[in-house]
Amino acid sequence: MMTVQELRALSRQLTEVFFCRQVGPFVLVQKPPSPVMAQLALRMGAAQTTMAKDIPSLERQQVALWLHFDSLRVVTLPPVRGQDVLSVGRLPDCDLVVDDPSVSKRHAQLCWFGPTVGCTVVDLKSSNGTFVNAKEVPPGGEVHVRDGDLLGFGDATFAFLRAPTFYARMQQRATP
């Protein structure tokens, strides 16, 4: 994973079209967990969590994501083809490995249907739930994901950004 700040230098040297082709149709960005929360997660193990369902907590996370944009981690995913399914979970063979005890071994799937249809998230009957903007995806259910949505896999929260939006945000922040 790279930080937004590390990618900014690269984005300044590339056109939007070329940059978007390199990162794929979308990115997931995550605020690194605080050491206190990481310790709490380890102590909790796979116990049922509630942080992803807490609306005030979600609002604070949204504000924190944009205030600390430069320090966010950008998740690198395998190349996404015209249509693709990406697995999310703790297992090393998942496309997005989330090392958090609140995340199930095989937690969810991101389904990319191309730029006109977009992306959905499917919960794989995870123990601690999959969330889109703090609303739980029904176990085994599927929900459409829009640009700027917050995705929660257990307590791990990611912002879903289409590549052009991500590129534009980096350019805005890059100018003094």
Side-chain angles (χ1 to χ4, degrees):
M1 284 191 222
M2 299 177 74
T3 65
V4 169
Q5 187 173 23
E6 292 167 336
L7 276 177
R8 177 170 285 126
L10 177 64
S11 76
R12 288 181 183 157
Q13 299 170 7
L14 303 174
T15 65
E16 179 180 342
V17 171
F18 188 77
F19 179 83
C20 292
R21 199 175 318 137
Q22 296 305 309
V23 300
F26 64 88
V27 297
L28 296 175
V29 293
Q30 179 186 32
K31 183 175 182 242
S34 72
V36 172
M37 290 307 290
Q39 286 298 319
L40 177 62
L42 286 174
R43 272 189 258 129
M44 288 175 62
Q48 180 70 26
T49 60
T50 59
M51 288 181 267
K53 297 179 188 178
D54 181 14
I55 298 295
S57 173
L58 178 78
E59 291 168 351
R60 284 191 300 275
Q61 288 178 44
Q62 286 177 319
V63 170
L65 281 171
W66 305 130
L67 286 177
H68 304 288
F69 188 68
D70 285 354
S71 63
L72 297 180
R73 295 186 300 191
V74 180
V75 175
T76 55
L77 297 166
V80 178
R81 298 174 291 278
Q83 291 187 1
D84 216 338
V85 176
L86 302 168
S87 59
V88 178
R90 282 194 340 262
L91 290 177
D93 65 338
C94 288
D95 297 309
L96 170 56
V97 177
V98 184
D99 187 23
D100 184 299
S102 69
V103 175
S104 296
K105 292 176 184 176
R106 297 208 185 279
H107 197 99
Q109 291 178 329
L110 292 169
C111 304
W112 176 253
F113 296 103
T116 54
V117 176
C119 191
T120 62
V121 63
V122 178
D123 179 74
L124 300 178
K125 299 182 180 174
S126 61
S127 298
N128 290 312
T130 300
F131 304 86
V132 176
N133 297 326
K135 292 184 180 121
E136 189 166 12
V137 176
E142 182 172 15
V143 173
H144 190 264
V145 180
R146 292 176 293 181
D147 197 17
D149 281 350
L150 285 188
L151 303 179
F153 306 110
D155 289 331
T157 304
F158 296 83
F160 174 90
L161 294 171
R162 299 286 293 262
T165 302
F166 179 62
Y167 181 86
R169 283 188 187 263
M170 285 195 301
Q171 299 311 305
Q172 290 170 355
R173 296 278 299 181
T175 55

